[in-house]
Amino acid sequence: MPSYVIPAHDIVGLPVAGTSDLFPVRRVYCVGRNYAAHAREMGFDPDREPPFFFCKPNDAQAVVPVAPDAVLELPYPQVTNNLHYECELVVAIGKGGSDIAVEDAAGHIFGYAVGLDMTRRDLQFKMRDAGRPWEIGKAFDYSAPVGLIHRAAEAGDINHAAIRLDVDGVTKQSATIDHLIWSISETIANLSTLFALAPGDLIFSGTPEGVGAVVRGQTLVGEVDGLSGIAVKLV
């Protein structure tokens, strides 16, 4: 049997609520500007914006499991002076497929978690204004903290759940999942026309309005009703 010429990369596993099992992360997709108010605060018209996607790395340097009832120390990234939080509902795919119908999309969901799409906003805007990809603004080390995954059947009415984020105890983001421009099922259906989805994929479904900068020493707490929250401290 051939062997790898360098050590093989580890698969990131996210804990699943009520079990000792892990959800193996395959790909990480993110939906851009999927709440109307957030699209407006970024300077865009949500009524004219079809869904679009970008990716984050799926390795242990980017996807960071955050245990419930714990505060993760999150390193402040390099080469930025404008690090932003974006609290999001993360959808964990349990059944793959292509060209998935909207009415069938829910059957492809394993569960849900709370995640943070950390963003080097200054670098993202620099690339955006130059017409270049966003990777250096979005796909850096420790850019995707994710909380405990709850199975879909145990998450309650996730489509109407409240989502919020506090910074040092002050609420900065507050909305409900039904304010998504493209619903979870619509997002899965659309994404599956562009990529073949597979078990282990994560979809960051978009962030509400109220994004903003954070600095070292501040603590972020993200919550979605029915799910375990997520807490990180910038160091």
Side-chain angles (χ1 to χ4, degrees):
M1 291 286 293
S3 60
Y4 293 108
V5 296
I6 59 174
H9 305 297
D10 293 332
I11 295 174
V12 176
L14 297 175
V16 177
T19 77
S20 59
D21 298 329
L22 299 175
F23 180 87
V25 177
R26 191 188 82 109
R27 291 182 180 174
V28 181
Y29 300 102
C30 303
V31 190
R33 297 193 290 266
N34 202 20
Y35 284 82
H38 173 58
R40 292 189 185 98
E41 74 178 352
M42 292 291 101
F44 294 90
D45 183 350
D47 296 329
R48 297 179 181 176
E49 187 71 60
F52 72 94
F53 305 93
F54 59 92
C55 293
K56 286 179 178 274
N58 66 346
D59 59 44
Q61 285 294 103
V63 179
V64 189
V66 183
D69 303 318
V71 179
L72 174 75
E73 291 193 344
L74 192 71
Y76 193 95
Q78 297 174 305
V79 201
T80 184
N81 294 306
N82 193 18
L83 178 68
H84 278 213
Y85 54 80
E86 296 190 11
C87 186
E88 308 202 11
L89 174 67
V90 178
V91 182
I93 297 297
K95 176 185 174 183
S98 297
D99 296 317
I100 299 168
V102 172
E103 57 270 22
D104 297 330
H108 292 258
I109 298 171
F110 174 85
Y112 304 98
V114 182
L116 297 176
D117 169 17
M118 302 304 293
T119 302
R120 296 191 287 202
R121 192 71 76 196
D122 44 358
L123 301 186
Q124 180 198 17
F125 281 0
K126 181 179 179 180
M127 294 299 100
R128 185 195 71 183
D129 294 345
R132 296 174 180 172
W134 289 4
E135 270 77 4
I136 63 171
K138 288 287 191 177
F140 52 91
D141 292 349
Y142 311 110
S143 61
V146 180
L148 197 65
I149 293 180
H150 292 254
R151 294 178 185 273
E154 302 166 358
D157 185 10
I158 201 70
N159 291 298
H160 296 89
I163 179 172
R164 57 194 161 271
L165 181 130
D166 292 354
V167 178
D168 290 342
V170 179
T171 299
K172 298 294 186 178
Q173 293 185 281
S174 181
T176 53
I177 303 302
D178 56 9
H179 283 126
L180 286 168
I181 297 172
W182 299 92
S183 71
I184 295 168
S185 290
E186 290 170 333
T187 295
I188 292 171
N190 190 283
L191 183 60
S192 74
T193 67
L194 303 171
F195 303 93
L197 299 182
D201 288 343
L202 298 178
I203 303 173
F204 280 65
S205 59
T207 196
E209 72 277 14
V211 300
V214 285
V215 298
R216 289 181 178 87
Q218 291 189 303
T219 299
L220 315 179
V221 177
E223 297 179 327
V224 173
D225 284 353
L227 306 179
S228 297
I230 185 174
V232 304
K233 181 177 181 180
L234 274 297
V235 297

